[in-house]
Amino acid sequence: MKQKFDTMVIHGGYDSKEHLGSLTTPLYQTSTFTFDSAELGELRFAGEEDGFIYSRLGNPTVKVLEERIAQLEGGEAGLAFSSGMAAVSAILVALTKMNDHIICSQGIYGCTFGLLSLMKEKYNIQTDFSEMRSEKEIRSLIKPETACIYMETPINPTMRLIDLELVARVAKEHNIPVIVDNTFSSPYLQQPLKHGCDLVIHSATKYIGGHGDVVAGLVVGKKDFLSQVAITTQKDIGGILSPFDAWLLLRGLKTLSVRLDRHSSNANKIVERLKNHPNVANVYYPGDAEHEDYYITKKQMRQGGGLISFEIKGNKKDAQKVLNALQFVKIAVSLGDAETLIQHPASMTHAVVPEQARHKMGITDSLLRLSVGLEDWEDIWDDIEKALNIL
Ligand SMILES: *Cc1c(COP(=O)(O)O)cnc(C)c1O
């Protein structure tokens, strides 16, 4: 019988019988692998015998992680990278050539925006940003040279959502691959491949690791395509994951479901209080029944997750004042950790996005992004409430 999600996060891709009975995945902290003979070395390089060669081309600890994430996303294969951006760049470079065209969600991780700008400058790869609200809107942007559709949902940091099935449906008509950055949800909350998308990317630095001690990226998709990526933009650019970081991610993954349940229930309680605070202008949370995209949440997300964005009544200086008044909630970018983190996107994660584009994405100077941690929610709220009260 196919295992259920909460079992796969713990056992997926690992067979202790293949590893001397070791309960946990062994850490193969090695750069290279020895061949028993010159002929066997030749066979391995020719791909005629299974086995490891050199850790940039594959490592047993990393391989368990790749198989586990593939199972969790319901895909054929997985690939691990040294960061979320190593994963994003390996996939986008693999899918595009000079003068191609990309359709991208309006609102996106700051460095992904930076990479798309670089690809435009160097290779004339143009990107059209779209809210992807209707089939008509997406269809109108498709050109013969459209190489892929790239999106985030929920969108960082505005928490707007995109209907995965709607985008996948239009893309299928034109045979264009759809890539989803699923970092904010993790496979526990959302599985884009099940809605017809083709590739899922994670910054595993966030919920997958979950403990703020690793920078890593993961990709899940079709086996043929990812095998091609493995021997080109992964192997030759070289942004591979280290065995130790893979080991930490395997450890973090075991508690993914229980962590996300707590992140979500804490966030729900904080959202209710934020909405009733007099110094808060707007609250954006996918699990909020009043969120304008809540109908999409219901279609494709299990719960709202741990991320909340909100606008305070005030300007950038006021937003900074609130951050500075916090006692144990930490001012930091990143998200998905046990610790509650808060940041100011306009001057931090999205400072690289030109002001005009930032405003188009809905990132105002009074917007704060909160990654609700696993602490007692009353302590989290107490800290935030006191900070908001100084305005
Ligand atoms: C953090 C993040 C990335 C980049 O991942 P790194 O691991 O920092 O390279 C990409 N997309 C989203 C949505 C992120 O939050």
Side-chain angles (χ1 to χ4, degrees):
M1 193 182 88
K2 194 173 166 294
Q3 289 179 339
K4 302 219 170 30
F5 190 90
D6 293 352
T7 307
M8 288 193 293
V9 287
I10 296 165
H11 297 281
Y14 182 63
D15 182 355
S16 60
K17 288 202 266 320
E18 292 172 8
H19 301 273
L20 305 174
S22 176
L23 174 69
T24 61
T25 312
L27 169 54
Y28 288 88
Q29 187 71 17
T30 184
S31 57
T32 199
F33 297 82
T34 59
F35 310 131
D36 287 346
S37 70
E39 290 76 12
L40 274 177
E42 183 181 13
L43 287 176
R44 287 222 184 140
F45 267 90
E48 287 164 21
E49 194 216 42
D50 280 345
F52 294 95
I53 297 173
Y54 180 71
S55 278
R56 181 157 40 73
L57 315 180
N59 173 282
T61 310
V62 177
K63 188 161 171 248
V64 174
L65 173 68
E66 291 174 337
E67 288 183 12
R68 188 166 302 173
I69 191 65
Q71 287 186 16
L72 294 177
E73 286 287 2
E76 289 179 9
L79 277 186
F81 293 85
S82 55
S83 69
M85 285 316 302
V88 173
S89 54
I91 294 301
L92 286 180
V93 171
L95 282 173
T96 54
K97 59 182 186 322
M98 270 180 80
N99 307 320
D100 268 351
H101 173 246
I102 297 172
I103 301 172
C104 182
S105 55
Q106 180 73 265
I108 193 168
Y109 186 69
C111 298
T112 305
F113 185 88
L115 176 67
L116 291 170
S117 310
L118 186 74
M119 288 169 75
K120 179 173 169 184
E121 201 180 296
K122 292 182 81 81
Y123 308 116
N124 191 36
I125 296 168
Q126 306 279 340
T127 299
D128 273 318
F129 292 93
S130 160
E131 295 196 345
M132 305 191 184
R133 309 308 297 176
S134 69
E135 293 189 27
K136 198 168 138 230
E137 182 189 341
I138 302 163
R139 226 174 256 126
S140 73
L141 293 171
I142 293 176
K143 301 178 185 182
E145 59 273 21
T146 303
C148 60
I149 298 181
Y150 188 98
M151 64 165 144
E152 285 178 22
T153 177
I155 293 174
N156 179 27
T158 58
M159 310 309 291
R160 290 300 305 263
L161 303 188
I162 295 172
D163 185 332
L164 294 166
E165 270 168 22
L166 181 144
V167 179
R169 203 158 53 233
V170 183
K172 281 272 157 345
E173 289 166 9
H174 301 264
N175 240 339
I176 299 169
V178 177
I179 311 160
V180 181
D181 180 335
N182 203 27
T183 302
F184 272 31
S185 302
S186 87
Y188 181 62
L189 298 185
Q190 174 173 278
Q191 297 169 330
L193 302 181
K194 299 210 167 131
H195 297 278
C197 301
D198 301 281
L199 284 157
V200 172
I201 297 183
H202 284 283
S203 168
T205 314
K206 318 294 169 52
Y207 286 107
I208 294 198
H211 293 75
D213 47 16
V214 190
V215 174
L218 294 168
V219 180
V220 178
K222 285 266 186 322
K223 198 172 176 157
D224 285 352
F225 175 69
L226 290 188
S227 304
Q228 220 25 60
V229 171
I231 58 166
T232 54
T233 55
Q234 184 184 47
K235 169 175 82 69
D236 298 336
I237 296 176
I240 52 124
L241 188 64
S242 80
F244 181 56
D245 287 345
W247 187 86
L248 285 170
L249 293 178
L250 286 164
R251 180 182 162 117
L253 261 178
K254 291 185 185 183
T255 54
L256 183 74
S257 313
V258 285
R259 284 187 284 112
L260 260 301
D261 281 341
R262 172 69 84 86
H263 282 300
S264 297
S265 70
N266 274 358
N268 272 299
K269 291 178 180 124
I270 303 289
V271 163
E272 284 317 308
R273 272 129 197 109
L274 280 172
K275 282 166 73 177
N276 291 311
H277 196 283
N279 295 338
V280 173
N282 293 299
V283 181
Y284 308 104
Y285 179 62
D288 176 5
E290 285 171 7
H291 187 296
E292 60 183 314
D293 298 331
Y294 187 63
Y295 70 100
I296 306 179
T297 307
K298 282 195 294 186
K299 280 172 79 167
Q300 63 195 36
M301 291 180 77
R302 187 198 292 255
Q303 292 165 10
L307 286 157
I308 305 166
S309 287
F310 62 99
E311 274 162 328
I312 53 148
K313 289 181 184 156
N315 55 23
K316 177 178 165 186
K317 279 267 163 296
D318 297 314
Q320 290 177 326
K321 260 193 235 158
V322 170
L323 293 192
N324 290 334
L326 289 161
Q327 296 298 311
F328 88 86
V329 170
K330 301 284 184 286
I331 308 170
V333 297
S334 200
L335 54 104
D337 294 334
E339 295 83 358
T340 298
L341 307 178
I342 194 163
Q343 65 116 352
H344 181 247
S347 67
M348 296 177 184
T349 48
H350 290 71
V352 294
V353 180
E355 194 174 346
Q356 208 186 353
R358 211 159 60 217
H359 285 158
K360 233 175 144 188
M361 288 181 183
I363 304 168
T364 62
D365 283 351
S366 62
L367 187 77
L368 295 173
R369 189 193 73 194
L370 180 69
S371 169
V372 179
L374 302 175
E375 303 97 336
D376 188 295
W377 74 268
E378 288 182 331
D379 289 335
I380 302 170
W381 174 244
D382 183 60
D383 201 17
I384 294 170
E385 186 182 31
K386 284 194 180 118
L388 286 169
N389 286 348
I390 65 160
L391 289 182

